[in-house]
Amino acid sequence: MFIYLLYGQGGCTVQQRSSQGFYLKRGLGKDAVVVFEQNNTSKEVACNVFAYSNNGQLFAYCDNQVTRVFEIATNKEILCVELKRTRKILFSPKDNFLLTFEPYAIYGSKTSENQKPEPNVRVYNLADGKHVSTFSAPKESSWEPQFSDDESLAARMVGSEIMFYTNMSFDRYDHKLVEKGMTSFALSPGPAPNHVAVYVPATGSNPARVRVHKVSQSFPVIANRTFYKSDKATITWNQRGNALLILASVDVDKTNQSYYGEQSLYLINIQSGESVIVPLEKQGPIYAAKWNPNGREFAVCYGYMPAKVTFYNPKGAAIFDLQEGPRNDVFYNAFGNIVLICGFGNISKGKMEFWDVENKKEIISIEVPNTTLFDWAPDGQHFVTCTTAPRLRIDNCYRFWHYTGRMIAETNFDTPKELWEVRWRPMMGYNKFAIKELTKTDKMAAGLPIKKKDASHPLNNVPAGAVRQAGAYIPPHLRKPLGGGGSAGPPSAAPPAPGNQNQRPQQNRSNGNGNAPQPFRPQQSEQERKMFQLKKKVDEIQVLKQRVANGDQLQPNQMEKIKREDEYLADLAKLTI
C-alpha cells in the first residue's frame, strides 16, 4: 500500500504502499483525506513502483496492468499506456519527460537463437503524452540517464562509453566520452559548464581512479584521483556542482579485521582541481557520507561501534565532531539547518539525535525502535518514521513527528497486514525557519508514547520525555522523616536517651542479605558517566602496557586500544574542564 503525505501550511500529502493497496492521502491521523486510492489486494494488480514529479504536481505508478500518470490536484490523466512490466519510473528535472524501465528480457517464446530482447526503456513527452524515444539498457543498476538541471543535456553509459544527447533525443548522440574499463559515472548538477566524474576500478597492478572531465567536444581533464583497495565507488556531488565525494570500497578485507570490507573517502574540489583523503579519526567502516544541501559542508558517520560523526568543510578539514554512539546514518533536512544523527536497521534501539547545524547544538534526542524507513517532509520541520516489510513483518506502522521530538500521528498495521513504503509528496514554497529553543514542556512532550497493557495505568500513552528518573530508589527505612527538611538519605545513629549516657547507639538494621544497607548515591549525570567510562579505559590501557612490558602477546584490538590512549586522555581533559 502506498501512502502519500504532505504536511505544513496548505495541508499534508503522503503516499502509502502496503499489502492492502496504495493510497494518496492529504492530512494526518483521523483528519486525513484520501486523494487517490487503489485498494485491490490481488497480487495481479499490486503496485510495484511509483514516483512523484519533482515539483510534486504529478504522480506516476504501475499496477502490473498499466503505467499511468495523473495530476494530483485535479486527478486529470496525463498518460496511460499498457506497460505492465514497468519496474522503474523517472521524471526529467523539469518534469517535461517521463522514462520507464522494464527488465531486459525476451518475453514469450523465442523465434530464433540469435533473437535479442526488445528495447526496454521508453521516453514520453508529458505535454502531449506521446512516445518520443526508445533504447536498450541491459543492466538495471545503470539504466537511468543523467540530466543537466535545465534538461539541455542527457548522458547515459553504454559499456566503456558515455553518450551525450541534446533535446531529449536518444536516437543519436551528439558526442561521447570513452574511458576504458569504466563502471560508473556522475554528471554534476548546477549551471553550465557541467562536469562528469568517471570511475574505473583497479585492475592488476593499476590503481583505481576517478577522473573529472569538463563536458565539451574535447572533454579536458579537470581533476584526477587514484587509489588502491577499491572494486566499487560511490560518487556524490554537492548541489553547487563544485565539489564531489568518492566513497571507495572493497567487499573483502584481506587482513580479516572487518566484516564490512574496507572503505576510504576522498574529496575533489573542481575549482582548484585538488583532491585529498578525508581524515577519519577512527578505524572501521564508513556508514554514510552526505553533503549538506547548502553545499558548504558534509557529514561522515564512521568507525567500529560505537561510531563517530564528523563534519567537514569543502576543503576536507574537520570543523566539528560528536562523541561516539550507536549510529549508522545521517539525514539533512531540505534547508540544511537541522541534521539527524541516527542508528537504524541492525541498531534496533533507534536512537535519533537532532542537531542545530549552525549553532552546533543538540535540539532533542528520542528513541524510535525498529525504524526501517525515514524521510524528511519538504517543509524541513516534520518527518516520518516507518517499520516496514520485508525487513520486519510484524508491528508495521508509520508515525509523523515534529523536529522537537513530538509525535503527531500514528498508524498501525496488524498482522498479517504489511506496510511496504511511505513517501512525502514534494512541495515548493517553503522557506528556511528559525530553530526554536525547547522549553521544559517541549522536552516532556518528546518521544514515543509509552504503551501499557492496563489502560488505567498512570503512565499509559505518556511521552517518554515526560518520564524522568529523579534518582535511585530509596528503601523506606532509609528515608528521612517528613520533618527532616532535606534530601533523602540514611538516618544517623539515634543519640542516647537522657539519663542513659552509657547506652550504645542502635546499629542500622540488616537489609535482609546479612549486609548493612548501602548509603544512597545520587544518579550520575551524563558527563560523570562518560568520565567514568574514559577513566576505566585509561586504567585498562595501563594494564595492557604492563603486559607488553612483561613480554605478553596482545590481540590486534588491544594494541589499537593502546594507540588511542592520547585520545581518551584528551576527551577526559575536556570533560573535566
Side-chain angles (χ1 to χ4, degrees):
M1 173 172 61
F2 297 103
I3 296 181
Y4 310 98
L5 203 80
L6 299 173
Y7 188 84
Q9 296 179 355
C12 165
T13 306
V14 74
Q15 186 242 4
Q16 164 190 319
R17 182 170 68 97
S18 76
S19 58
Q20 303 303 304
F22 69 98
Y23 302 83
L24 184 62
K25 294 183 180 180
R26 180 181 289 114
L28 296 176
K30 297 179 180 179
D31 298 329
V33 178
V34 176
V35 178
F36 173 81
E37 67 176 326
Q38 189 177 86
N39 54 8
N40 195 322
T41 59
S42 171
K43 293 184 179 180
E44 295 180 357
V45 291
C47 181
N48 291 318
V49 61
F50 73 91
Y52 288 107
S53 61
N54 298 288
N55 59 15
Q57 296 180 6
L58 305 179
F59 182 73
Y61 69 91
C62 175
D63 59 2
N64 285 339
Q65 299 295 321
V66 297
T67 298
R68 182 171 180 260
V69 182
F70 66 91
E71 195 174 70
I72 296 175
T74 64
N75 203 25
K76 178 184 176 182
E77 187 171 272
I78 305 299
L79 177 70
C80 185
V81 291
E82 292 185 6
L83 293 176
K84 59 183 180 180
R85 302 185 185 94
T86 300
R87 291 297 176 265
K88 302 287 183 179
I89 295 176
L90 176 67
F91 283 90
S92 62
K94 288 191 170 184
D95 300 324
N96 292 320
F97 296 88
L98 178 82
L99 290 84
T100 65
F101 168 88
E102 60 183 35
Y104 189 66
I106 297 175
Y107 300 99
S109 58
K110 262 190 172 185
T111 57
S112 66
E113 293 184 0
N114 298 326
Q115 182 182 355
K116 293 184 178 180
E118 295 292 328
N120 59 329
V121 179
R122 294 170 176 82
V123 184
Y124 295 90
N125 189 329
L126 294 178
D128 53 17
K130 291 184 178 180
H131 173 261
V132 295
S133 186
T134 303
F135 61 88
S136 298
K139 296 181 180 180
E140 184 174 348
S141 59
S142 59
W143 81 272
E144 286 189 16
Q146 298 183 28
F147 305 93
S148 59
D149 289 348
D150 58 3
E151 292 186 1
S152 63
L153 190 68
R156 71 184 189 97
M157 185 175 68
V158 181
S160 295
E161 300 176 339
I162 302 177
M163 310 291 189
F164 291 87
Y165 307 85
T166 56
N167 302 321
M168 296 298 293
S169 176
F170 292 92
D171 297 330
R172 182 177 178 82
Y173 64 87
D174 288 344
H175 41 282
K176 67 178 180 179
L177 171 65
V178 180
E179 282 278 3
K180 186 177 180 181
M182 65 173 292
T183 58
S184 63
F185 77 101
L187 186 65
S188 67
N194 295 100
H195 297 83
V196 59
V198 181
Y199 169 71
V200 179
T203 55
S205 60
N206 298 321
R209 69 174 185 269
V210 170
R211 281 182 181 169
V212 181
H213 300 262
K214 181 179 178 180
V215 178
S216 65
Q217 293 290 341
S218 58
F219 292 104
V221 177
I222 304 299
N224 183 69
R225 179 75 203 190
T226 59
F227 42 88
Y228 290 92
K229 294 184 179 180
S230 171
D231 51 25
K232 60 182 177 181
T234 302
I235 302 172
T236 309
W237 288 92
N238 66 353
Q239 281 198 342
R240 300 183 176 190
N242 57 16
L244 61 90
L245 289 172
I246 306 166
L247 178 56
S249 60
V250 58
D251 291 334
V252 179
D253 180 7
K254 295 182 179 179
T255 62
N256 291 325
Q257 292 184 353
S258 173
Y259 171 80
Y260 299 96
E262 291 184 78
Q263 294 88 25
S264 52
L265 189 64
Y266 305 90
L267 172 67
I268 296 181
N269 189 299
I270 301 303
Q271 296 174 340
S272 64
E274 296 179 351
S275 64
V276 298
I277 301 176
V278 178
L280 305 177
E281 295 185 358
K282 187 175 183 180
Q283 290 187 349
I286 301 174
Y287 307 103
K290 297 183 180 180
W291 285 100
N292 187 315
N294 63 24
R296 296 192 295 268
E297 72 173 27
F298 61 93
V300 185
C301 180
Y302 63 96
Y304 297 113
M305 289 294 168
K308 196 164 188 177
V309 175
T310 304
F311 297 85
Y312 300 85
N313 63 17
K315 295 183 179 180
I319 55 178
F320 181 68
D321 58 18
L322 307 182
Q323 292 291 333
E324 298 176 350
R327 49 176 76 104
N328 58 11
D329 214 338
V330 176
F331 295 92
Y332 283 98
N333 71 348
F335 305 105
N337 59 341
I338 297 178
V339 62
L340 166 66
I341 312 297
C342 58
F344 293 155
N346 57 350
I347 304 179
S348 60
K349 190 176 183 180
K351 185 175 182 181
M352 305 171 68
E353 306 168 38
F354 294 86
W355 284 77
D356 182 338
V357 174
E358 296 176 359
N359 296 319
K360 305 296 186 292
K361 181 181 179 181
E362 186 179 78
I363 302 170
I364 194 70
S365 175
I366 61 175
E367 292 181 0
V368 187
N370 300 323
T371 298
T372 60
L373 187 150
F374 172 91
D375 194 21
W376 278 106
D379 67 352
Q381 300 189 47
H382 300 83
F383 60 92
V384 60
T385 61
C386 311
T387 300
T388 58
R391 173 80 186 189
L392 292 172
R393 297 190 182 276
I394 60 173
D395 297 330
N396 282 189
C397 66
Y398 63 90
R399 304 180 178 102
F400 298 106
W401 305 77
H402 190 259
Y403 75 86
T404 56
R406 176 174 54 89
M407 192 179 81
I408 299 171
E410 179 181 23
T411 300
N412 294 290
F413 293 78
D414 297 329
T415 308
K417 296 179 182 179
E418 294 180 351
L419 175 67
W420 298 339
E421 193 171 6
V422 176
R423 291 295 177 188
W424 296 93
R425 171 189 172 190
M427 290 186 72
M428 308 299 176
Y430 291 108
N431 299 315
K432 189 175 180 179
F433 55 92
I435 299 174
K436 63 178 293 188
E437 186 76 21
L438 267 60
T439 64
K440 184 177 180 181
T441 303
D442 292 330
K443 294 179 180 179
M444 290 182 66
L448 200 62
I450 298 172
K451 301 293 183 182
K452 295 290 184 180
K453 293 182 179 180
D454 182 6
S456 63
H457 195 284
L459 291 182
N460 185 56
N461 214 33
V462 174
V467 182
R468 304 293 184 192
Q469 185 178 0
Y473 172 72
I474 306 171
H477 66 281
L478 291 180
R479 299 173 187 169
K480 282 191 173 182
L482 294 176
S487 60
S492 58
N500 191 11
Q501 300 295 332
N502 295 326
Q503 181 179 354
R504 297 180 63 184
Q506 183 180 1
Q507 299 296 319
N508 287 334
R509 296 180 180 178
S510 170
N511 60 7
N513 295 326
N515 299 322
Q518 297 295 320
F520 165 68
R521 293 184 178 89
Q523 185 183 20
Q524 285 184 322
S525 67
E526 182 70 14
Q527 181 176 350
E528 291 172 336
R529 185 182 64 81
K530 291 179 179 179
M531 290 177 64
F532 175 80
Q533 292 176 345
L534 289 171
K535 289 178 181 178
K536 183 179 178 181
K537 290 179 181 179
V538 172
D539 292 340
E540 291 172 351
I541 289 174
Q542 301 306 319
V543 175
L544 293 175
K545 283 185 173 181
Q546 185 62 41
R547 288 180 58 188
V548 173
N550 295 337
D552 293 349
Q553 186 72 25
L554 301 183
Q555 298 293 328
N557 61 332
Q558 294 175 322
M559 296 300 298
E560 181 64 28
K561 192 170 189 177
I562 293 177
K563 294 178 182 178
R564 299 185 62 188
E565 181 181 13
D566 293 338
E567 177 187 343
Y568 295 146
L569 292 173
D571 291 342
L572 184 60
K574 291 178 183 178
L575 291 173
T576 304
I577 294 173

